[in-house]
Structure formats: C-alpha cells, structure tokens
Amino acid sequence: MGLRVEVFGCSYKSYVADFDGRSSLLYRFNQKSMSTVKDVISLRFKSHQAEGVLLHGEGQRGDYITLELHHGRLDLYLNLDDSRSRFSSRRVPVTVGSLLDDQHWHSAHIERFNRQVNLTVDSHTQHFQTSGEGQSLEVDYELSFGGIPLPGKPGTFLRKNFHGCIENLYYNGINIIDLAKRRKPQIHSVGNVTFSCSPPQLVACTFLSSSSSFLSLPSAASPTGEFTVRFQFRTWNPDGLLLSVQLNPSPQKVELQISNCWLHLTLHSLGRQRSDVSAGRRVNDGLWHTVSLTSRNLQITLSVDGEPSSNIELWELVESRDNFYFGGCPPTECHIQAPAFQGCMQLISINDHLVNLSHVQQGLLGNYNELQFDTCNMKDRCLPNLCEHGARCSQTWSFFSCDCSGTGYSGATCHNSIYESSCETYKLSGSSSGFYFIDPDGSGPLGPTQVYCNITEKKVWTVLPHNNTTPVKVQNSSPQKPHIMKFSYNASADQLRAIVSRSEQCQQEVVYNCRKSRLFNTKDGSPLSWWLDRDGDKRSYWGGFLPGVQQCSCSLEENCMDMNYFCNCDSDIDTWTNDTGILSYKDHLPVSQIVIGDTNRTGSQAVYHVGSLRCYGDKSIWNAASFYQESSYLYFPTLQAELASDIAFYFKTSSPSGVFLENQGLKDFIRVELSSPTVVTFSFDVGNGPAVLSVKSHLPLNDRQWHYVRAERNVKEASLQVDQLPLRLLEAPADGHLRLRLSSQLFVGGTASQQRGFLGCIRSLMVNGLTFDLEERAKLTPGVSSGCPGYCSGSSNLCHNRGRCIEKSNGYICDCSQSAYGGATCNQEVSVSFDRESSVTYTFQEPFSVMQNRTSQATSAFTESRAREDVAFSFVTSQRPAMLLTVSTFSQQYITTILARNGSLQIWYHLQTDRSPDVFSPVPKNLADGRLHRIRIHRVGRNLYVQIDQDIHRKYTLSSDAELILIRSLTLGKVIRMESFDEEVVKAASKGFVGCLSSVQFNHVAPLKAALTNRGSSLITIRGPLVQSNCGALAESTSHILQDQAANEDKEQRDSNAQKDLAVIAGVVTAVVFIAVCALAVISRLLYQQRRAKRSSSIKEEHRHSTYTDYRTELHLHNSVRDNVKEYYI
C-alpha cells in the first residue's frame, strides 16, 4: 500500500507526469552533444506494467545509458566505451528491485562519477563499475524519458515504453517535468503526456492462506450453457489450486491448479478415466500471467499468456453448475487435496463479465475467506539475496531457500565452507598428501582454491604452483627492452595473501644461471634484473638475502666466486655460474613478475627458474590465551554479524562454568558460555526475544581436555556444535527481525560486568573466517597470558590420524577411539586379511547423548545434522568383482563400494527407494592389481567427493540430498542380506572379498579396529576366518613378486649376450685392481707417519674441548626435561 506523510511546517512539491504507454518527453541539449564525468538522476515512478523504458540516451561514439523496467525489475545499461556498438548482444544490465509493477510509488536514484556508479531503488543499492575505457558519458542531442522514439517516426518506439506516472524527475539538478509543464523549448513532448497521475484502474486481491483462502463467485448466465473464465495471477508457490467448478451433467468437475510450477487442467468424470492437460512454464516466477479457460464445442480449452492452447475432448456438452471457486474451496463444498493458492489475482471475468471485487468485499457478491482487497501484498524474499557466496535464491510465499550447488559452501544460507582452511587441518583429520581445496578464510568472501598438500611427519607444506615452473632461457634482453615474465597462480591475490599470512613460514626458490649476464653490477647502482612482489612493488634483492639490499645468498655466506661482488653473476665471466637462493620474507611473497635486462652482449645469456610458492604451518590452530582471573577478559572490535555470523574455537578448563564470548547492543546481544560442567549454551536476541540453544554432554566438559565449539546464526536458523555431539538447530521465526545490531566491544573470556568470567584456555578462535590473535592481545592484558600450558597445547602433533591428545599429570596419552589406526600415537595400521566367506558387520546403536539431546527442549524446532558421510579405507586384492564396504539402513537405503568385473571402483548411493541408485565410477583402471589403494569418500548434501590414492578429489552430484535414516549396519566383505540391492551389487556381494582391508573409517566409527579389539561386543558380528595382517607389507611383497617376474624375463634375454663379454671384462678388472692396491699401500705409509707426528700435540686440547661439550649438552637436556614436565592446571 502506498502512503505519503506530510510533516507540518515542511512543504512538499510534487511535479508529476502521466505516460499512457504511447508518449515520452525529450530533453534536448543546447549543443550537439553533452559530455559529463558526473551524473545525478533521480525520480519516483508508479507503473501499470512490468515492462517499459524510463530513461534513454546515446552518443555517436557508442556511449549509452538506459533505465528500464523488465519483468518488474529495474535494469540499468551504462556504457562509456567507444569500441562497442550501441545495441551489442553482449549488453549486460545491473538489476535492482522486484515487483515494481505493483502500482505503488518507488524511488530510483543514479549517481555516477567517472566509472563508479551507485544505483538505488527504494532502500536497495548496487555499487558497480561501468564497462568500457572512458571516464565520461557522451550523449548526442537529447535524453528521452518514458520511451525511445525511433528517429524520423514520431510516436513509434524501439522498445516498449513506460505506462504509469513519474514524479520529481531530476537530471543533474534540472527539473524535467517542471520544464515540460511550463512548455520550455528544451522539452519536446511526444504523444499525450499529462501532468496529473490517474488513479489505478486495476484492483487486485491477495490470497493469504495456503489452507483456507478461497473466493466464491456465482456463475453468470450464458445463453448457450457454455462458460468462459479469464483472470490474471501471480505467485511464488510451485503448487496451488487456481479454479474449481462443478459441471452439469453431474457429477463432473474441472480443476485448474499449479503443480510443480506448471498449470494442470483436470476433468473428473464419474465412470470415466480423468483427463489432464498442461500449459505454461514456470508460472511461479512472481510475474502476472493471464489465463483463459473456455468450454465450447465439446472441448475445454486452456490458454496461458497467449501461447498455443491445450484442449480436453468432451463426451457431451457441459455447463457450469453452482459457483466458481478461485484459489481454494471450502471443505463443506468440495474435497480437494491440493493446497490453496497463495498469491494475487486481478481482472477476473466470467462469461465476459468483469467481476467487481469491491462488491465482493462489501458482501454484495459471492463469498470469500482469508483475502485482502485493493492490493497485491506479495513480498520478494530474495531481495536482497540473503544467500551467500553467489548461491541462487528461490522462494515460496512464506520462505526462501538457497541452492549451494557449485559454490563450495553449505548450510541454510550457504555460509559454511565445505573445505578445510589449510593443509594443516587436513593432516589433523587424518588426510595424506594430495591435491585439496582449501578455504583460507572459512566462511569469508574469498572462496576455495586448489593446492597441493605435502603432508610429512614433521611439516605440512602447502604448495601453489604458477604458470611457468620450468627453466626459461633468456637472450637479447637489455635494460631498455628487458625480458618480462608474469606469473599467475591458481589463486586470487587476496587468497594468496590469506594463505601466506596464516602460515608460519613461506618460501620460494629463485635460480639464476648466467653467462656474462649481471644482476646488479652497474656504475650507477641501478639493478639490471629484478622481480615484483605480490603487491607489484619492485624488489632487487635475490634469493637468500635480506630485503632491501641488492645482494645474493653467496654474499651472506661469504662464498662468492669473486669477493669484490655481492653475486656470482656480477663477476661477469664468460663461463656458466649461478646465484640460487630462497625468498622467505612473507610480506613480499609470492613473486608476481621477473624482469631480466642483461643478455644482449655477445655470448651473454641466462636461464632462470622461479619455483612454486611453498608454505608450512598454520598460526591460527595453536593461537591460544590462558585466563587465570575471573575478572579478566580480552576485548576486540564489535562483531560484524548483522545477518550472519559463525564463531568457532577450542577450550579446556577445570572450572564448572564461564562465559567464552559476549557482545552486546542496546537490546540485542550474542553470547556463548559454559553454563554447567556438561552444558554449552549459545544465546542471542535480534529483536524477537532471547533465543537459547544448549548442547548437553553425558561426560563432563571441564576435564582439562580440549573441546570444540562452533556456533552459527543466520537469517534462517541458528546452530550449535560441541565436539562430535549431535548438532542443535533452531529455526528463525517467520517474518521476524533479521539484523543483529551490536554496539559494544567483543569480550572474549569474560563479560563487560567482569562477572562469570572464564578460567582456562581458549585457542583457534575464528569469527566469520577471521582469526583472532589471542596471543598478541594477551601480552597487553592483566590476568591473561599468551599460550596455554600442557603437553597437548602445541602444534607438535603428538597424536596422529584423528587421535586425540589427553593430558595426564605426568605426561599425555593418545585416545585412538575415533581413529581407524592404533598404537601409542594412533599411527599403526589396523589390517585384516579376508577370504571369500569372511565378513565383519558393525551394528549401529544410538548413543545416549543423541537420545538425551532429542528429548531436551522439545518445544524448540531442532533437527539433526544435514546429510554427511566420511568414508576412508585401504585395500589390497587381486579379485574381481569384489565387495568392499556396505552401509545399509532400516529404510532400505544403502551405500556400497565394489570392484566391478573390470576391476574398476564403483560407488553406489541408493538414498530414495522410489528411484534408481546413483552409480559413480571415478577411474576406469583396474584396482584389483595386488597393490595398496587408499579410497576417501566425502558427501555433503548432493555433493560427493572421491579421492583414489594421491589423485585429485573428483566431484559428483547425487540425485538427492536425503539423509541416511536409521542406519542399521556397516559390513566389510561378503554380505548376507541383499534384498534391496541391484543385480550388479548382488553379484559382488555374493563373491565377497579376498584380500586385505585396513584403516576403515565411517564418520567416527572404525569398524575393523572394533572387530579386533571388541570381539565379544554385541555390536560386532564376524563370519568366516579373519587374520590380522599388514596390507602395506602384503602389497609390497606382491609388488616385488611382479617385479621379480618381469626382471627374470628380462634377465633371460640378456644372459646370452653377457656371457660373450665376460672374459674380456675379467682381464681388465684384474689389471685395474692390482694397480690400485699398490697405490694405496704407498699412500697409507705416508699418511701414517704424518699423523703420528701430530697426535701428541693434539691430545691435551681435544680432552679439554670434550669435557666442555659434554657439560653443555647435559645442561641443555636438563633444562628441556624441566620445561616439558612443568604443568599448570586451571
């Protein structure tokens, strides 16, 4: 509804022009063309149609500006480039607004300075930069408002012109409508433009309820008994009843409904098969659609938006009986399973008689329920688009949803990255070396990028190659015409900056092989060659030396071939030499460009090589602070969390309660706290009243061990995750407040009131993808210290493969219960050999914590976590086909991995029993080759990621994102129960598995290890013989056998040739050995005499040095042991 408020004492002047769809205003310039570097255009408009040009101007050099309504949205075309034609097919508009054809007033404002533009419609603003190279907009002769007249033909238009009213139209401070009203010569009027806004002619009604809305109208008399119904509708819902009418002869009924976004017309007849036709396409797009339904000449005809009609053939003539029901039907009159229509209708006519909806509202005509009149009260829930990271927004009448496909993110608003933030975190999750996608800022805006993770026992290297890692030869380059090579990486500049900044150390090797090619040896000191850093700044120091100094690593090591120069190549000799070093100053990495300028002399040339960017360590993982006073806290700038925020951290404590984090506003707030020894609480208020989520653990959380917490809040829901306990979700109220408005500082480890502070350690605090430097802030804060004491508080990775480090009073132990590996540090492979009849079945049992979380706070809208599986295992076999792993549910769903007849891996996902399963075969090669293969499978929703050995992760899309409901069991090897399997799976299941399986992990269950360590458990069922084995050794022996076979064949072929040369070789060898023995005897005698002379003088000095070294070593070991044993408990 439109509303204007005039405040007493303030005058409001309204200049209005009414365009009838065939008219326009032309503003003609005083000169031939107008060139501007700054433009300000503002207007208010009210439109009767979804299409129409509001503003247009163009120049002969190719500049143009067009503002038009298209599908109820406002499109701005703006080009400052003289190289493009005026109406190129590649023109792409900037679009703002929605449902702007609702006959209400809307404001539009355009501000341009050079190429920077702000386009605002109502309260929604788009900031963008224009295409083209120019800085000014050059328009020839005139600007047109309301349409684009065709030159030479007054009243004709190139596009559909505007139909509606424009108010207070200003172009660079000029009141266009005022000039037109006063008939100034600068304004030329085309067609009939009036200066008062005519009232709207169309009256709409809104159907509000999907269960009880309806409009009942009587059937207007028709002399032939036939009927015709026409109306317009608009909606967001993919389903809903539009029209229902009873027919004579009875009982017959016609229903027109939206079903799966299409219009479906159905004729129900007693004793005959019902008839169906479809028409239209995606009619739930929020636009007005015109429907015509006619019964005539033994046909019922349906037409939508003037498209070709669809027909239902009749057996006999029919006529309408009783009332026409629009949008729904009262339960007493008809029984319809389809939901009622939610949306708007207008221009309803029955038998060519237009229905006066005002009479319906006054009770003079028909009947209705849950309707609004004189307005189309639709809301575009995708404006603004609250889906993040470029996800597509779709909506119904009451809610919106986000399609995260292809974004690399998941969640209700696509806020959460599906990738780890660094290679270090991949190692902590048990991954091995390979290509991975990492998202360095998590839920931030940067997005994921692919890197190579070189995971070793001591360090984890993140490797980012560039476009030219091979050596490059350079000749004929000079300072005036240098050789230039630009390096591009598989990551944006911001992504590179984030990866480097969160790493502990980064480096890049630079090799310069030279022959009469200098680096820095010039008279004026200017470099002949240099490189550019990541910001494009010139750097003239070479690998291995300090920034800002034109020297090479040989100068630092004092081993340059000519000590008069600081680089080997600066000696300018006519032989090959090189300067090699490592660039390791993080703020300058990576190298973005290299310039070589001294290879133009005779005999001068160079070969250079710039290696990949290599970084190791993740500073954020072990960035920690210890809080030892209840009144102490760390403070940071206000949390930027209006529409979405996520908070993740680790904590350990012995205190029963304490606030981890708090940020307050005037009334709004957000808080995460340990409310009791077993409960973590996430609470917030965005104006809808306090919302509280709690996760309760069946074990104490104040056990001095690290625990993980992740809290998220967005416009659709809030969630709380603690360790591996079930995720808690709370849906946001419909049409509630969305924005969290905070004003105070963010307090970490305490509150502004200095009460209920946290005592313990917090580490790895990340908010919206940004890492908070707790250690640096703790250095300046009393009651807080940097780091956290304890064996398990560092980055030494004491426990491997998902093993959890547990503090003890005199050391630590590794909890390998969540790992598929065993041993003291969770790094020992758990392997079992199977034969054809062997199988291991793990029966899932719902843990107490899950049931407890389900029953508590039943009044809140909580659900379990979204569909997600993580599967990893290794195997060695020569059998094909073979059954590797099967997961089945009580609802006939299953996941299985098999080896097909050709030995290739097949992954079967059967998530919906009414559909065929999804089958994926990542690589066609034979894996039944007797070698060890590692398989990793990861699913989030519809996205499936598969890695085989060290190959890249391959992405597939499932047909469904359904969860596994009530998982029954996981089976390794032969499967007995196969009632729901497909034929190919049944064949593999019956063959079983012959070979070795190791390190099997399904989510947080290690079934193979459980079978070996808990043979008497009721959860484990073992059939056939199982022998503990070593898959790695078995694969190695198999590989040696294959190699030996190949070697024996090759040896047999070479034996005959080798025997012929054996005699000659033996004679030569004998002579060489005799000469060598004689020479060694002479040299040994000389060295013995020389050593005996020096021995007596060195014994005394050596004894004194040895005594000092032993003492220093002992002291160092004593200090190290003392520091390691020292432990603090909070």
Side-chain angles (χ1 to χ4, degrees):
M1 298 178 65
L3 176 66
R4 172 177 294 167
V5 177
E6 295 194 13
V7 181
F8 179 79
C10 299
S11 62
Y12 180 85
K13 292 185 178 180
S14 175
Y15 299 90
V16 180
D18 193 333
F19 298 83
D20 62 0
R22 296 180 298 275
S23 55
S24 67
L25 292 176
L26 306 181
Y27 171 63
R28 291 176 173 168
F29 307 135
N30 295 328
Q31 60 267 30
K32 178 181 177 182
S33 65
M34 178 76 74
S35 180
T36 58
V37 296
K38 179 181 179 181
D39 289 306
V40 178
I41 304 172
S42 63
L43 68 145
R44 299 181 74 238
F45 66 91
K46 182 167 65 171
S47 176
H48 299 275
Q49 297 178 347
E51 312 286 332
V53 173
L54 291 166
L55 160 71
H56 177 75
E58 60 186 67
Q60 291 183 351
R61 75 172 192 177
D63 293 6
Y64 56 77
I65 179 172
T66 303
L67 183 68
E68 67 172 330
L69 279 171
H70 179 60
H71 289 169
R73 301 172 182 266
L74 203 59
D75 289 352
L76 174 63
Y77 297 87
L78 185 58
N79 186 34
L80 310 182
D81 187 0
D82 57 359
S83 64
R84 297 187 180 187
S85 61
R86 290 186 301 170
F87 300 108
S88 170
S89 59
R90 297 178 296 174
R91 295 203 309 166
V92 178
V94 175
T95 302
V96 184
S98 178
L99 306 176
L100 299 178
D101 57 339
D102 57 0
Q103 301 185 44
H104 294 173
W105 284 106
H106 299 279
S107 61
H109 191 78
I110 303 172
E111 290 181 297
R112 181 188 70 86
F113 181 73
N114 294 334
R115 298 176 61 193
Q116 304 299 321
V117 183
N118 293 337
L119 172 61
T120 302
V121 174
D122 297 332
S123 60
H124 306 294
T125 302
Q126 282 271 27
H127 309 276
F128 68 97
Q129 188 172 344
T130 62
S131 59
E133 301 297 329
Q135 301 292 323
S136 62
L137 173 64
E138 187 171 301
V139 178
D140 292 343
Y141 303 112
E142 64 189 18
L143 277 173
S144 63
F145 301 95
I148 309 177
L150 189 65
K153 296 182 179 180
T156 58
F157 295 83
L158 294 176
R159 296 189 179 205
K160 194 168 184 178
N161 47 323
F162 178 71
H163 185 195
C165 302
I166 297 179
E167 181 188 45
N168 294 345
L169 171 59
Y170 287 89
Y171 167 70
N172 290 337
I174 300 172
N175 189 334
I176 301 298
I177 297 177
D178 182 46
L179 293 180
K181 193 173 181 179
R182 293 189 287 143
R183 301 183 182 276
K184 293 296 182 179
Q186 304 99 307
I187 301 296
H188 177 68
S189 179
V190 177
N192 182 28
V193 179
T194 60
F195 299 102
S196 63
C197 189
S198 58
Q201 302 298 318
L202 303 179
V203 177
C205 63
T206 306
F207 294 75
L208 299 175
S209 173
S210 62
S211 59
S212 57
S213 290
F214 70 88
L215 171 62
S216 173
L217 296 174
S219 174
S222 172
T224 61
E226 300 170 343
F227 64 87
T228 299
V229 179
R230 294 186 180 90
F231 61 93
Q232 292 182 349
F233 74 93
R234 70 192 313 177
T235 185
W236 299 118
N237 285 0
D239 301 284
L241 179 67
L242 289 173
L243 176 65
S244 175
V245 58
Q246 300 286 342
L247 301 178
N248 279 329
S250 180
Q252 295 187 81
K253 180 175 64 174
V254 168
E255 291 178 356
L256 176 64
Q257 59 182 319
I258 307 172
S259 178
N260 197 22
C261 308
W262 285 66
L263 280 187
H264 286 267
L265 179 64
T266 305
L267 173 63
H268 298 273
S269 300
L270 184 64
R272 296 192 180 98
Q273 186 178 5
R274 75 176 193 174
S275 303
D276 292 276
V277 293
S278 299
R281 61 174 73 91
R282 198 178 178 274
V283 295
N284 65 325
D285 54 5
L287 302 178
W288 285 109
H289 296 280
T290 302
V291 176
S292 176
L293 185 66
T294 303
S295 167
R296 182 174 299 144
N297 298 330
L298 294 178
Q299 278 188 341
I300 298 179
T301 303
L302 173 65
S303 176
V304 182
D305 295 332
E307 296 181 357
S309 59
S310 302
N311 303 315
I312 290 180
E313 301 294 334
L314 300 174
W315 294 88
E316 55 188 339
L317 291 176
V318 297
E319 61 181 7
S320 60
R321 174 170 61 90
D322 300 329
N323 295 330
F324 288 86
Y325 290 98
F326 292 86
C329 189
T332 57
E333 297 294 332
C334 51
H335 302 283
I336 300 175
Q337 297 181 351
F341 171 74
Q342 278 183 299
C344 302
M345 287 190 186
Q346 66 180 14
L347 294 179
I348 301 175
S349 68
I350 300 176
N351 294 333
D352 297 325
H353 294 282
L354 185 65
V355 175
N356 190 334
L357 293 178
S358 298
H359 291 172
V360 177
Q361 183 183 16
Q362 297 167 13
L364 303 177
L365 180 66
N367 190 17
Y368 68 91
N369 186 53
E370 293 286 344
L371 259 67
Q372 276 185 343
F373 292 92
D374 295 330
T375 182
C376 180
N377 191 15
M378 281 186 67
K379 180 180 180 180
D380 191 338
R381 298 180 184 275
C382 289
L383 183 72
N385 185 0
L386 298 177
C387 302
E388 302 179 56
H389 301 106
R392 188 176 65 87
C393 177
S394 59
Q395 62 184 312
T396 63
W397 183 264
S398 54
F399 66 90
F400 74 94
S401 59
C402 300
D403 182 4
C404 305
S405 302
T407 64
Y409 296 84
S410 64
T413 59
C414 308
H415 181 78
N416 309 318
S417 178
I418 64 175
Y419 303 107
E420 302 288 358
S421 57
S422 66
C423 289
E424 195 78 35
T425 51
Y426 275 110
K427 179 184 179 181
L428 293 176
S429 64
S431 299
S432 56
S433 297
F435 285 96
Y436 294 92
F437 280 94
I438 64 172
D439 197 333
D441 70 335
S443 59
L446 295 183
T449 184
Q450 191 179 51
V451 301
Y452 182 79
C453 296
N454 185 14
I455 300 175
T456 65
E457 190 66 27
K458 293 184 178 180
K459 291 182 179 179
V460 178
W461 289 94
T462 302
V463 183
L464 290 100
H466 52 74
N467 59 326
N468 202 335
T469 54
T470 58
V472 179
K473 185 177 181 180
V474 181
Q475 288 180 305
N476 302 320
S477 67
S478 65
Q480 293 74 31
K481 293 184 178 180
H483 165 85
I484 299 175
M485 172 65 74
K486 295 182 179 179
F487 300 106
S488 59
Y489 299 80
N490 188 29
S492 67
D494 290 333
Q495 288 173 329
L496 289 170
R497 191 186 307 273
I499 293 171
V500 170
S501 63
R502 78 179 290 150
S503 301
E504 292 181 9
Q505 185 175 336
C506 292
Q507 61 185 41
Q508 202 164 6
E509 184 186 39
V510 180
V511 179
Y512 190 74
N513 296 293
C514 54
R515 181 178 180 181
K516 292 187 66 177
S517 176
R518 299 160 294 169
L519 288 170
F520 310 121
N521 182 14
T522 58
K523 294 181 180 180
D524 59 359
S526 60
L528 293 167
S529 298
W530 62 88
W531 53 277
L532 303 185
D533 64 14
R534 68 187 184 195
D535 297 321
D537 295 330
K538 182 177 178 180
R539 303 295 172 186
S540 56
Y541 69 94
W542 215 244
F545 210 82
L546 302 176
V549 183
Q550 293 183 180
Q551 297 186 23
C552 300
S553 59
C554 70
S555 175
L556 188 67
E557 299 168 0
E558 298 183 352
N559 61 358
C560 293
M561 61 185 308
D562 188 342
M563 295 306 295
N564 293 317
Y565 301 100
F566 298 118
C567 295
N568 290 322
C569 291
D570 283 351
S571 58
D572 203 23
I573 59 176
D574 195 14
T575 58
W576 282 101
T577 185
N578 77 84
D579 284 297
T580 301
I582 301 294
L583 300 173
S584 58
Y585 190 62
K586 283 174 52 177
D587 290 349
H588 294 169
L589 293 179
V591 177
S592 62
Q593 183 175 305
I594 193 169
V595 179
I596 307 297
D598 186 29
T599 60
N600 63 330
R601 295 174 293 160
T602 303
S604 175
Q605 55 182 315
V607 177
Y608 68 86
H609 164 68
V610 178
S612 302
L613 175 66
R614 301 172 73 243
C615 300
Y616 72 81
D618 188 339
K619 294 191 302 182
S620 66
I621 292 180
W622 296 104
N623 190 304
S626 300
F627 301 83
Y628 52 87
Q629 290 181 8
E630 190 173 339
S631 60
S632 62
Y633 55 80
L634 300 178
Y635 62 89
F636 294 91
T638 305
L639 194 63
Q640 301 301 313
E642 279 201 347
L643 295 174
S645 62
D646 66 282
I647 303 164
F649 59 91
Y650 290 84
F651 78 91
K652 71 173 181 176
T653 184
S654 59
S655 183
S657 63
V659 176
F660 299 123
L661 176 147
E662 182 184 81
N663 205 162
Q664 294 185 339
L666 189 61
K667 292 183 179 180
D668 296 0
F669 72 89
I670 187 170
R671 183 184 303 116
V672 185
E673 63 183 314
L674 182 67
S675 54
S676 76
T678 58
V679 178
V680 173
T681 300
F682 174 39
S683 55
F684 59 90
D685 188 352
V686 296
N688 304 316
V692 180
L693 292 91
S694 295
V695 170
K696 185 172 184 178
S697 171
H698 61 284
L699 296 175
L701 298 173
N702 60 338
D703 55 357
R704 299 179 182 176
Q705 309 302 329
W706 286 114
H707 298 281
Y708 176 70
V709 176
R710 187 181 189 279
E712 180 190 349
R713 178 257 157 196
N714 56 56
V715 296
K716 287 187 69 68
E717 65 185 21
S719 64
L720 178 62
Q721 178 85 58
V722 178
D723 293 335
Q724 303 302 330
L725 296 171
L727 179 73
R728 280 302 187 97
L729 289 174
L730 175 63
E731 293 184 0
D735 298 319
H737 294 279
L738 301 179
R739 298 184 182 274
L740 178 65
R741 304 185 186 277
L742 305 173
S743 56
S744 73
Q745 293 174 319
L746 171 65
F747 294 90
V748 176
T751 64
S753 62
Q754 298 185 348
Q755 297 178 356
R756 298 186 301 127
F758 172 73
L759 296 176
C761 294
I762 296 177
R763 71 169 174 91
S764 191
L765 174 61
M766 293 188 69
V767 178
N768 289 339
L770 298 177
T771 301
F772 281 46
D773 194 344
L774 302 177
E775 293 184 350
E776 196 64 30
R777 188 58 63 94
K779 295 176 182 178
L780 308 174
T781 307
V784 187
S785 62
S786 297
C788 186
Y791 291 90
C792 300
S793 298
S795 57
S796 54
N797 297 329
L798 301 174
C799 303
H800 308 277
N801 301 309
R802 293 188 179 180
R804 182 185 174 204
C805 182
I806 297 179
E807 299 280 1
K808 293 294 182 181
S809 58
N810 58 348
Y812 72 94
I813 63 171
C814 290
D815 176 12
C816 305
S817 61
Q818 300 293 323
S819 173
Y821 293 77
T825 58
C826 311
N827 62 352
Q828 292 183 6
E829 179 186 277
V830 177
S831 305
V832 170
S833 291
F834 287 68
D835 69 12
R836 182 168 183 145
E837 299 299 323
S838 301
S839 69
V840 173
T841 299
Y842 183 95
T843 304
F844 286 85
Q845 184 179 33
E846 191 173 45
F848 171 73
S849 59
V850 176
M851 294 185 288
Q852 192 176 44
N853 277 335
R854 280 182 178 175
T855 56
S856 61
Q857 297 189 14
T859 56
S860 298
F862 291 116
T863 59
E864 294 185 56
S865 62
R866 290 178 177 79
R868 182 188 183 107
E869 291 92 41
D870 287 288
V871 183
F873 60 91
S874 300
F875 71 91
V876 178
T877 188
S878 299
Q879 173 198 351
R880 52 183 179 175
M883 171 60 71
L884 297 171
L885 178 147
T886 302
V887 178
S888 60
T889 71
F890 288 100
S891 55
Q892 305 302 312
Q893 298 170 301
Y894 67 82
I895 303 171
T896 184
T897 56
I898 67 173
L899 293 182
R901 292 181 179 178
N902 60 357
S904 64
L905 180 73
Q906 285 188 357
I907 302 169
W908 293 64
Y909 260 86
H910 193 200
L911 299 176
Q912 291 189 307
T913 55
D914 58 342
R915 295 184 186 178
S916 299
D918 297 313
V919 185
F920 306 101
S921 185
V923 290
K925 68 178 182 180
N926 176 22
L927 299 184
D929 54 2
R931 293 182 171 86
L932 182 66
H933 296 286
R934 182 68 173 167
I935 308 298
R936 297 178 184 276
I937 302 170
H938 172 67
R939 176 173 82 109
V940 179
R942 291 179 182 269
N943 297 324
L944 183 70
Y945 304 88
V946 181
Q947 184 187 27
I948 300 177
D949 298 329
Q950 302 302 322
D951 199 2
I952 62 172
H953 284 76
R954 301 172 186 270
K955 180 181 177 183
Y956 303 93
T957 302
L958 297 167
S959 61
S960 170
D961 61 352
E963 298 180 45
L964 293 178
I965 303 172
L966 298 175
I967 301 177
R968 178 172 58 193
S969 61
L970 180 149
T971 301
L972 305 174
K974 188 171 184 178
V975 179
I976 305 301
R977 301 181 60 170
M978 299 180 290
E979 61 271 12
S980 61
F981 289 171
D982 284 70
E983 182 179 356
E984 189 169 356
V985 178
V986 170
K987 289 181 180 178
S990 63
K991 296 289 185 181
F993 174 76
V994 180
C996 184
L997 277 172
S998 74
S999 306
V1000 181
Q1001 186 99 36
F1002 177 78
N1003 292 341
H1004 301 286
V1005 174
L1008 201 59
K1009 191 171 75 170
L1012 293 179
T1013 58
N1014 302 289
R1015 284 187 178 251
S1017 171
S1018 60
L1019 302 180
I1020 305 295
T1021 303
I1022 299 176
R1023 293 184 176 88
L1026 287 182
V1027 180
Q1028 193 163 353
S1029 181
N1030 187 321
C1031 291
L1034 178 62
E1036 189 175 351
S1037 63
T1038 306
S1039 177
H1040 286 325
I1041 291 172
L1042 295 175
Q1043 292 175 2
D1044 291 344
Q1045 291 175 351
N1048 289 336
E1049 293 175 0
D1050 190 44
K1051 182 179 178 181
E1052 291 175 0
Q1053 295 177 358
R1054 295 197 305 266
D1055 280 349
S1056 59
N1057 296 329
Q1059 290 175 356
K1060 297 178 182 179
D1061 300 328
L1062 187 59
V1064 177
I1065 294 173
V1068 174
V1069 169
T1070 302
V1072 170
V1073 169
F1074 177 76
I1075 296 170
V1077 169
C1078 295
L1080 284 172
V1082 174
I1083 293 171
S1084 299
R1085 177 65 179 172
L1086 293 174
L1087 289 175
Y1088 175 79
Q1089 293 176 350
Q1090 183 179 4
R1091 186 175 181 183
R1092 188 175 182 183
K1094 291 183 178 180
R1095 183 176 180 84
S1096 59
S1097 62
S1098 62
I1099 288 177
K1100 187 175 182 179
E1101 177 66 26
E1102 184 178 359
H1103 175 73
R1104 183 169 64 250
H1105 176 74
S1106 176
T1107 303
Y1108 171 73
T1109 303
D1110 291 344
Y1111 171 75
R1112 186 177 58 183
T1113 303
E1114 182 180 354
L1115 180 64
H1116 173 71
L1117 288 173
H1118 175 74
N1119 290 335
S1120 298
V1121 170
R1122 184 188 62 189
D1123 291 341
N1124 284 332
V1125 170
K1126 184 168 57 178
E1127 172 77 342
Y1128 300 93
Y1129 291 105
I1130 300 171

